[in-house]
């Protein structure tokens, strides 16, 4: 049997119309109904009819979680199971769900609170950098206050986060092919998120986790773990910690993984994994039409 990892994308991968093709599946219909009772609004309605809301953290994160969980459920209903899971930022919550660490409703309630705290964060800036000298970037980050490596995606693509001044200073001090400021409400995955993270921690502490059925590679610590207390502790650090996706990508073949299936809209993660671990077989399940038999 081919040793397979499932990976789940995070904020930025959302697309208008995502999940609408799943509405006819009984599993999906039940999940959408549960989600509406928790959120107070309809995920399919937002995904279909409200592009402005879909791009807002408050809605983006729950929508992605719900759609990706449904796709993971449908994969499992068809007899497919991962040997290992990982998710990028918000996607880590779907990975934990797919690994059986918490149930759908528990995870969605956490994601709802996370989205609310992150939506309220302000006073920061994030920027994607493409095409640079990686060692030079790390050296400059160490010398520049109030800016950190938020998403370490690959040697050629990262996201930095911090104060507007810190981000501007860093961009001006290195040679970069392209720098794109992100339309986000706050400095995610940086120490500036500490107040939001402290509030979220109160919600996280009250939620019971169970041991994962398959190993999880966490954003802040890309080594496999299944113990409930370890996974919860790692998740508690995620809001202020860096998403170490480059290391996760490199770790996959070290764990004997031969194939990676990205479950969710877009192909961002398989694109990043291809750069770091190009020998892996890569597949994408973005919607109903991509589901294997």
């Amino acid at each position: 049997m081919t040793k397979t990892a499932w990976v789940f994308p995070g904020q930025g991968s959302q697309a208008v119309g995502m999940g609408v093709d799943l509405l006819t599946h009984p599993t999906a219909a039940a999940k959408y109904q549960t989600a509406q009772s928790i959120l107070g609004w309809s995920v399919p309605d937002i995904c279909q009819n409200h592009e402005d809301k879909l791009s807002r953290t408050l809605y983006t994160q729950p929508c992605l979680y719900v759609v990706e969980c449904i796709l993971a459920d449908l994969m499992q209903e068809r007899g497919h199971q991962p040997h290992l899971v990982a998710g990028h930022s918000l996607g880590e919550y779907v990975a934990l769900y797919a690994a059986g660490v918490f149930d759908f409703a528990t995870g969605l309630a956490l994601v709802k609170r996370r989205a609310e705290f992150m939506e309220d964060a302000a006073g920061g800036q994030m920027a994607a950098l493409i095409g640079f000298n990686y060692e030079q970037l790390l050296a400059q980050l160490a010398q520049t206050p109030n800016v950190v490596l938020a998403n370490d995606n690959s040697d050629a693509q990262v996201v930095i986060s911090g104060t507007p001044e810190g981000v501007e200073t860093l961009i001006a001090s290195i040679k970069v092919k392209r720098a794109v400021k992100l339309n986000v409400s706050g400095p995610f995955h940086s120490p500036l998120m500490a107040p939001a993270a402290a509030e979220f921690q109160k919600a996280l502490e009250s939620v019971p986790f169970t041991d994962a059925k398959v190993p999880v590679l966490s954003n802040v610590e890309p080594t496999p773990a299944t113990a409930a207390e370890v996974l919860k502790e790692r998740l508690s650090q995620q809001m202020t910690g860096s998403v170490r996706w480059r290391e996760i990508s490199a770790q996959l073949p070290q764990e004997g993984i031969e194939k990676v299936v990205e479950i969710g809209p877009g192909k961002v993660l398989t694109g990043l994994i291809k750069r770091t671990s190009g020998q892996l077989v890569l597949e994408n399940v973005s919607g109903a039409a991509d589901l294997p038999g």
Side-chain angles (χ1 to χ4, degrees):
M1 181 185 288
T2 303
K3 199 168 183 184
T4 303
W6 289 1
V7 298
F8 301 92
Q11 195 165 346
S13 293
Q14 68 272 10
V16 175
M18 69 178 187
V20 175
D21 58 348
L22 304 171
L23 282 166
T24 57
H25 292 266
T27 296
K31 285 285 193 301
Y32 283 137
Q33 191 61 49
T34 299
Q36 182 152 355
S37 67
I38 292 169
L39 299 169
W41 46 266
S42 164
V43 168
D45 178 53
I46 295 293
C47 292
Q48 253 182 307
N49 304 313
H50 301 280
E51 186 174 359
D52 55 332
K53 287 186 175 180
L54 185 59
S55 64
R56 278 184 57 194
T57 297
L58 192 65
Y59 296 94
T60 309
Q61 294 188 9
C63 285
L64 282 169
Y65 174 85
V66 171
V67 171
E68 291 177 21
C69 284
I70 290 169
L71 287 170
D73 286 344
L74 294 173
M75 288 281 287
Q76 291 176 333
E77 284 181 13
R78 285 160 171 74
H80 299 274
Q81 294 290 344
H83 296 87
L84 180 150
V85 294
H88 192 287
S89 191
L90 178 276
E92 186 169 324
Y93 288 78
V94 190
L96 292 169
Y97 166 73
V101 174
F102 43 63
D103 63 26
F104 173 78
T106 298
L108 181 55
L110 272 179
V111 166
K112 178 177 182 284
R113 297 295 287 143
R114 180 185 194 262
E116 289 166 352
F117 289 128
M118 292 178 75
E119 172 86 4
D120 289 341
Q125 177 71 62
M126 299 182 77
L129 307 182
I130 301 157
F132 47 83
N133 180 288
Y134 190 78
E135 287 71 29
Q136 182 197 8
L137 171 68
L138 293 183
Q140 197 59 47
L141 274 166
Q143 298 171 31
T144 309
N146 301 318
V147 61
V148 297
L149 189 59
N151 297 349
D152 185 10
N153 289 330
S154 76
D155 288 347
Q157 201 267 4
V158 301
V159 175
I160 57 173
S161 180
T163 63
E165 298 78 16
V167 169
E168 292 283 1
T169 299
L170 184 80
I171 292 172
S173 61
I174 64 167
K175 185 178 179 183
V176 58
K177 187 175 181 182
R178 192 163 169 235
V180 181
K181 291 178 182 175
L182 304 184
N183 182 23
V184 293
S185 57
F188 302 159
H189 298 292
S190 83
L192 297 175
M193 293 297 292
E199 287 299 313
F200 179 69
Q201 181 66 21
K202 297 172 188 174
L204 186 61
E205 283 172 358
S206 66
V207 175
F209 278 33
T210 58
D211 291 347
K213 297 172 184 174
V214 296
V216 181
L217 299 181
S218 300
N219 286 189
V220 301
E221 183 52 63
T223 54
T226 56
E229 64 273 17
V230 172
L231 294 171
K232 182 183 271 195
E233 173 57 30
R234 289 178 175 183
L235 194 64
S236 74
Q237 300 171 37
Q238 197 213 62
M239 204 178 282
T240 56
S242 176
V243 176
R244 295 162 62 181
W245 195 259
R246 180 179 58 86
E247 294 172 74
I248 287 175
S249 299
Q251 188 67 28
L252 294 171
Q254 300 298 316
E255 299 301 322
I257 295 299
E258 302 163 274
K259 182 170 79 172
V260 178
V261 183
E262 180 174 3
I263 299 175
K267 299 183 178 181
V268 171
L269 299 186
T270 44
L272 293 173
I273 292 167
K274 187 175 183 178
R275 295 191 65 93
T276 304
S277 298
Q279 73 274 36
L280 298 173
V281 176
L282 303 172
E283 294 182 3
N284 292 84
V285 176
S286 298
D290 303 319
L291 288 165

